[in-house]
Amino acid sequence: MDWNNDGYHDLLVGNTSGDIYVYQNTNDNSNPVLDGGTFILNTGGDRASVEVGDWNGDGNKDLVVGTLMGTIQVYINGNTDASPGFDTFFNVQMGGSDFDFTAGYDRSAPRMYDWDADGLQDLLVGELNGGIYYLRNEGTSTAPVFNSSEQLLLINGETLTYPGASPRSRFSVADWNNDGYADIISGGSDGKVMLYAAVAPEPVSSVLFVLGGGVLAFSGLRRKFNKGDR
């Protein structure tokens, strides 16, 4: 993530008190050296899990932040892309109400990604119990709309869950092996990392996902996964 558009990778961090800091790279991408950090904002709650993305399609960096309570806050950048500035937030809505998993401490961890390849940014959300939820954007690139969420499932019908007690799934989506398909790299509270490596998609109608090996499907797209290691 290049916070100030200087061509170097920076680091954006949320902490247990709900603070968000940016640590800017003062060297280069081959040998990054981070500064002491700059305070960006406080979410007003605990356990900020922050994602950078262009929420409203204006070309500027916005912040999408998961919270201890499971809601997801959106901070629109009212300044410029190279010098972001934020004021108030709104909560992500699903079906007209604030998105949340349940009434409790759910530690949402959102990621923006065009999961169904329709040109719109969707949301994938990790949570306290290790699951990952998919929220399809049914609106536009400038005004996302979410009406439902689906939890990723294993091929045997069980939910995809990072192993362990309250593992707090935190993940990224990337083409790990350069085969043209999006893979999932998920971490948990045990400090380990699980790789879900996708293979060629096939059209399907069901919603399935295999932990570490097997089949994933969403919105008519099936992806098979090789065995994952931690």
Side-chain angles (χ1 to χ4, degrees):
M1 186 277 303
D2 182 3
W3 183 255
N4 57 353
N5 293 353
D6 63 356
Y8 301 131
H9 301 315
D10 305 311
L11 182 65
L12 194 65
V13 177
N15 68 17
T16 186
S17 300
D19 299 322
I20 296 175
Y21 288 85
V22 61
Y23 295 84
Q24 297 192 47
N25 183 358
T26 61
N27 200 33
D28 57 37
N29 290 332
S30 298
N31 185 29
V33 176
L34 302 179
D35 67 12
T38 301
F39 175 77
I40 302 300
L41 58 86
N42 179 275
T43 63
D46 296 330
R47 306 296 196 276
S49 178
V50 61
E51 166 81 336
V52 177
D54 183 5
W55 183 265
N56 58 355
D58 64 355
N60 294 332
K61 300 179 189 74
D62 305 313
L63 298 182
V64 183
V65 185
T67 68
L68 173 66
M69 301 305 294
T71 56
I72 301 173
Q73 300 175 348
V74 177
Y75 294 82
I76 297 299
N77 180 1
N79 204 17
T80 66
D81 192 52
S83 181
F86 308 94
D87 191 6
T88 58
F89 71 89
F90 58 86
N91 287 327
V92 169
Q93 302 288 292
M94 188 176 71
S97 301
D98 290 351
F99 171 80
D100 195 358
F101 294 105
T102 58
Y105 301 100
D106 301 305
R107 304 189 186 215
S108 55
R111 296 290 179 264
M112 294 180 65
Y113 191 83
D114 183 7
W115 190 246
D116 57 358
D118 65 351
L120 303 178
Q121 293 292 305
D122 307 305
L123 285 177
L124 294 168
V125 187
E127 48 91 39
L128 174 66
N129 295 313
I132 298 176
Y133 288 74
Y134 166 56
L135 284 66
R136 182 175 183 270
N137 182 1
E138 300 180 29
T140 66
S141 60
T142 58
V145 173
F146 306 99
N147 290 316
S148 62
S149 66
E150 302 176 81
Q151 188 171 0
L152 305 187
L153 301 177
L154 302 177
I155 189 66
N156 62 6
E158 297 177 1
T159 57
L160 185 157
T161 306
Y162 190 96
S166 303
R168 307 167 193 173
S169 52
R170 301 293 183 265
F171 65 95
S172 293
V173 182
D175 184 2
W176 178 266
N177 53 4
N178 294 320
D179 65 353
Y181 303 115
D183 308 310
I184 292 181
I185 303 97
S186 182
S189 59
D190 59 3
K192 299 179 180 179
V193 177
M194 179 73 79
L195 169 65
Y196 304 84
V199 237
E202 307 167 10
V204 295
S205 58
S206 56
V207 179
L208 305 169
F209 205 122
V210 170
L211 178 62
V215 182
L216 151 73
F218 259 106
S219 296
L221 183 64
R222 171 174 288 175
R223 298 173 189 165
K224 296 181 179 178
F225 282 78
N226 294 317
K227 178 64 178 177
D229 296 318
R230 293 190 290 163

